Each structure stands twice: as C-alpha cells, then as structure tokens.
Amino acid sequence: MLDAMPATPRVLSIAGSDSGGGAGIQADLKAFAAAGAHGMTAITAITAQNTVGVSAVHPIPPDVIVEQVKAVVDDIGVDAVKIGMLGDRATIAAVGRALDLVGDDVPIVIDPVMVSESGSRLLAEDAIAALRETLLPRATVVTPNVPEALVLAGGDEQQSPTELAHAIRLLGPEVVIVTGGHRDEAIDTFYDGEQLVEIPGPRHGEGAAHGSGCTHSSTLAAWLARGADPLTAARQAKEAASSAVEQGLRDIGAGPGPVNVLGISARLP
C-alpha cells in the first residue's frame, strides 16, 4: 500500500553519464519521469560510450560529487536516492560523505554497476571491498544481477539466486533483489530478511536491453519516493524494466539498443 504521496517526488541519481543516452544518468532521468518523479543528478564520471562500447572514462573529482549532492539537498530536497556507476574507491568514499548530507530517513537504492552492457568494466577491482563496506550497509535496497551478486557475495556459480540474496543481505542492506536479466527465466528474487518472493516476468530476447538495470533500479527508487513499500516498488520496477526492453529502440546504434521506458515510437516524416 502507498502512504501519502509527496506533491512531487524528488529522486536523486548518483551515477555516471552515458554519452550514448542509453544507460547511466540519462536512463535514470527517463525512468524517474516515467514513474512520475522529478529527477536530479550528481554525476560520478563522464563516459565516452555508445551501444558498442566504452572508449573513455573521466572520473569527477570527489569534492565536486559531494558539492552536487549538497546543492540539491540545500534547495530542493531528496525523497530517495539511486546510486549507479561509482568507478573507484575515491568516488565511493565521496558518495559515503554525500549520503551524510541526505539524511538517514531517505531510502537508498544501489545498483552495483560493474560491467556495461557492451562488456566494459565500470568498477575497479580494488573498489569492490569499499562498495561492500562503505555503501551496502546504508542501502535500503540493492539490485545486483547474478554476475554482480556473485562478486558481492564472494560466492561461486553453483549458488542459487536465493542463496546469493541471503549472503548479500548479511552485508547490511535491508532488501536484496537479485535481478533475473542474466537467467534463463527472467525472475527477480526479493529478500528482506523475512519474505522471500520471486517476481516473474517475460523474457524479451528480441528487445533492446541497454540501460535495463538502470531503469529497474531508478523506477524502484521513484516508487519508494512515492511512498511505496519495497516489495510494491520492486514489482513496479520489474514491470517497467520488462516493458522498456520489449519496446527497446533496436534501430539505435550497432550494438544492444537502449531500452524505451518512455514509450518513444518512430514517427514518419
């Protein structure tokens, strides 16, 4: 059930910029808008990226990351935070400081971005421990896919999504959702320490999936900002991300096309 909704839910994305417009803060802002929320950003890195790959990454100075968050908090306020690409240990430390400005009662969704849709690494190997120790204990919800969950849990490929969700929750987040995009069956596994819920959805093999993880986590954050409980928000996120893949823009770029959470359709001249 939804509590009283704020007049305009305000959601902050702390994430990287995708110059191709498919993932990162560009995907987040689209998902926030589609879910009826006002989106704001604190950019952690600028990537030179398209549907084929990532050719360059420029980290934003840590103090500038903190200042972006401060500017938003001081004037506009924040009802939920979505955290995406972090890149390195210095950025993770800066985001930890920035969250102190947001407040303890604001829900935080972490999408532990490690590798892009095209296969480029987006989180340094030595930053994984910092992510576990600095940010996961502060998360309301963390949304790894199966490969990311294996890394966070330090597990092996024999572990089930349920086992991975249990292991990651021991790291501190209130809720773990192991998303189903990398499974044969597109089932999200939700675990909050008491409820273990499978959230099924169709697999759209012919869709365009670039930005699907960003869209899922951002939609989830927007629904938390609207007052939804985590399970309701997770169901809404699953539905939105699945639809966005199904309607994905397969005519954009030579690689995996971007998801289409806004329902953009081709227009004839």
Side-chain angles (χ1 to χ4, degrees):
M1 296 295 293
L2 295 180
D3 298 329
M5 292 184 182
T8 303
R10 305 156 298 178
V11 191
L12 172 65
S13 170
I14 304 176
S17 170
D18 173 1
S19 56
I25 61 164
Q26 286 82 356
D28 296 342
L29 290 173
K30 295 173 196 176
F32 295 155
H38 171 66
M40 306 163 291
T41 63
I43 301 174
T44 58
I46 297 170
T47 70
Q49 184 175 172
N50 53 32
T51 65
V52 177
V54 179
S55 58
V57 176
H58 176 69
I60 299 299
D63 60 332
V64 177
I65 296 171
V66 176
E67 283 299 317
Q68 291 176 86
V69 175
K70 185 177 186 302
V72 168
V73 170
D74 285 351
D75 176 45
I76 302 170
V78 178
D79 296 309
V81 176
K82 175 266 171 80
I83 298 174
M85 176 187 172
L86 295 169
D88 56 27
R89 294 176 63 91
T91 297
I92 291 171
V95 172
R97 297 196 302 275
L99 291 180
D100 292 337
L101 304 173
V102 172
D104 295 334
D105 58 339
V106 174
I108 297 168
V109 176
I110 298 178
D111 178 13
V113 177
M114 297 180 185
V115 178
S116 72
E117 185 74 19
S118 61
S120 301
R121 174 168 283 279
L122 298 175
L123 182 68
E125 191 72 30
D126 65 357
I128 295 171
L131 174 61
R132 288 194 193 104
E133 296 163 8
T134 302
L135 297 183
L136 287 193
R138 306 182 70 161
T140 307
V141 184
V142 60
T143 63
N145 58 35
V146 170
E148 291 162 348
L150 285 166
V151 172
L152 291 177
D156 59 64
E157 294 183 359
Q158 302 303 314
Q159 287 183 287
S160 68
T162 296
E163 291 171 326
L164 291 170
H166 278 80
I168 293 169
R169 193 172 184 278
L170 294 176
L171 299 175
E174 294 178 24
V175 177
V176 179
I177 302 172
V178 180
T179 61
H182 288 70
R183 299 173 61 187
D184 292 336
E185 296 181 341
I187 298 172
D188 291 356
T189 302
F190 174 102
Y191 180 59
D192 65 1
E194 296 181 0
Q195 298 181 92
L196 179 65
V197 181
E198 289 191 337
I199 305 174
R203 175 170 295 286
H204 303 292
E206 299 303 315
H210 185 48
S212 57
C214 304
T215 298
H216 176 275
S217 55
S218 296
T219 302
L220 198 154
W223 277 87
L224 292 178
R226 293 180 58 174
D229 62 85
L231 182 55
T232 298
R235 294 187 190 281
Q236 292 289 338
K238 177 68 171 180
E239 182 177 344
S242 177
S243 175
V245 171
E246 181 183 20
Q247 300 180 65
L249 304 176
R250 295 182 290 279
D251 61 331
I252 300 295
V259 296
N260 182 16
V261 72
L262 293 175
I264 298 169
S265 59
R267 297 179 181 177
L268 295 175

